[in-house]
Amino acid sequence: MTKYATIAAAARRWDVDRATARMAIQSAGIEASALHASQRYLWSDLLHKIEGWPLEIIEYIDESAVLSCATDLADRLGVTPQTIRNYGKSGRIKAIRIASRAVRYALSSAIEHMGEAKSDCS
């Protein structure tokens, strides 16, 4: 089933305002669907072109999951925001650049990483 997103839905997922979401969508060159009266975009385009997920796994991604900023994710995991940014730069967790000053992190990959780190310590 093909799923579509509004700018508001994308903004909620990315935890940004609508103007930032609109700018990210336009910058990625994603065209609005011609099937709808209001602007809607294919979730698969948003997840692949903006978030950088491989096409093979897009069907398994929960579009309603909200991505986290470094501060929020650090609070949840008990580390510093700089640690989250370092993990994002090194590829240990998925860092997603929505705009030049809006980087978000996929919590699911962060939790998987923290689980691996705990098992490595055992």
Side-chain angles (χ1 to χ4, degrees):
M1 181 169 96
T2 305
K3 297 179 186 177
Y4 292 91
T6 61
I7 288 178
R12 275 191 303 275
R13 175 170 170 78
W14 299 330
D15 193 24
V16 297
D17 59 35
R18 290 179 185 177
T20 301
R22 186 177 296 110
M23 184 204 57
I25 291 168
Q26 289 172 346
S27 294
I30 299 172
E31 297 290 326
S33 167
L35 301 174
H36 300 91
S38 62
Q39 291 184 331
R40 294 178 190 265
Y41 304 89
L42 282 171
W43 267 117
S44 58
D45 284 347
L46 299 179
L47 295 171
H48 179 65
K49 293 180 180 178
I50 295 176
E51 295 187 22
W53 295 105
L55 290 172
E56 303 81 44
I57 67 165
I58 285 178
E59 67 184 274
Y60 303 107
I61 296 174
D62 178 9
E63 298 92 1
S64 66
V66 177
L67 301 179
S68 301
C69 66
T71 304
D72 291 345
L73 188 53
D75 287 345
R76 289 181 187 170
L77 299 177
V79 297
T80 67
Q82 187 59 51
T83 298
I84 298 300
R85 288 189 284 274
N86 290 342
Y87 284 174
K89 286 179 185 173
S90 70
R92 293 174 79 176
I93 60 174
K94 179 138 178 84
I96 300 163
R97 183 167 298 280
I98 305 301
S100 62
R101 296 183 52 90
V103 179
R104 298 296 182 260
Y105 300 89
L107 182 58
S108 59
S109 65
I111 289 174
E112 289 168 13
H113 167 71
M114 294 304 284
E116 290 171 10
K118 288 179 183 176
S119 64
D120 289 346
C121 294
S122 303

